[in-house]
Each structure stands twice: as C-alpha cells, then as structure tokens.
Amino acid sequence: MMIVTVMVGAFFGAMARFGIGQLVKVWTTSVFPWATLFVNVTGSFWLGYLYAAEVSHQLLLGIGVGFLGSFTTFSTFKLEVMRFVTKDWLRFGLYLLVTYVFGLIAAYIGYHVG
C-alpha cells in the first residue's frame, strides 16, 4: 500500500509541475527558469510544513515523498544552472542564490506554520 500511495502522489506532483511549466511558458518569454524556481521554493515550504505538522506516515509518504518529490526538481535545477554558467555569470549566481536562500526561508516558514 505504501508504494501505491507514493505512486499516486508522484503522478499528481509530476502533472502539477508540468502544468506550471506550461503556464509559465505562456506568461513569459524570459530565459530565467521561473517555473523551476517556483516549484522548488513552494515545495520546500510544503515539505517543511508537513514535517512540523506531524502528519500521518501515510500522508507524509503520499504528499511528502510522492507529490512533493516529483513536484520539485533538483536535476532540472542543476541543468539550468549549468546552462547559465557557460553563458551568463550574473544569472548563474542569481539563480543559485535565490533558489537556495528562498528555498531555505520557505522551508523555515513552512515548518513554523506547521
């Protein structure tokens, strides 16, 4: 049952991330990876919230591991960072800083809200 819970959460997390990516493409033509930044920061908030709220193990698996695990994306973040490192040092530094700082702040706030 745990595997099914994670799988269902992962399906919806991946679909949510894909949907946000598509919306961002419609709203902006910027080369800055706004969609990845958004999903990683909001995912950090919600994982901090879940951890502090002491939700059931089943809910933590479904939402924390499944949904948020597939909603957020470390690998895409790293690929986008590598694209900037060869072309635009300012965006490279800004993206790294904003993602890590805002992600930590979001997780902290989520933890304290939870």
Side-chain angles (χ1 to χ4, degrees):
M1 188 61 182
M2 291 188 300
I3 292 172
V4 172
T5 301
V6 172
M7 284 174 36
V8 169
F11 170 79
F12 286 107
M15 295 309 296
R17 186 173 114 204
F18 176 76
I20 288 169
Q22 295 304 303
L23 284 174
V24 169
K25 284 180 185 177
V26 170
W27 291 341
T28 183
T29 58
S30 172
V31 296
F32 195 81
W34 293 108
T36 305
L37 177 64
F38 176 79
V39 299
N40 285 340
V41 171
T42 57
S44 296
F45 171 85
W46 286 111
L47 194 56
Y49 177 86
L50 284 175
Y51 183 76
E54 297 179 6
V55 298
S56 72
H57 183 66
Q58 196 77 5
L59 197 58
L60 191 57
L61 283 175
I63 296 175
V65 176
F67 184 87
L68 293 173
S70 67
F71 181 67
T72 60
T73 172
F74 191 72
S75 57
T76 300
F77 166 66
K78 293 302 180 188
L79 178 63
E80 290 165 346
V81 166
M82 291 308 301
R83 282 195 347 233
F84 286 141
V85 80
T86 60
K87 296 178 185 174
D88 189 340
W89 282 96
L90 180 62
R91 280 200 178 116
F92 165 76
L94 180 64
Y95 188 39
L96 276 175
L97 182 69
V98 168
T99 298
Y100 283 115
V101 170
F102 285 174
L104 286 170
I105 291 169
Y108 179 83
I109 292 169
Y111 180 82
H112 286 287
V113 169

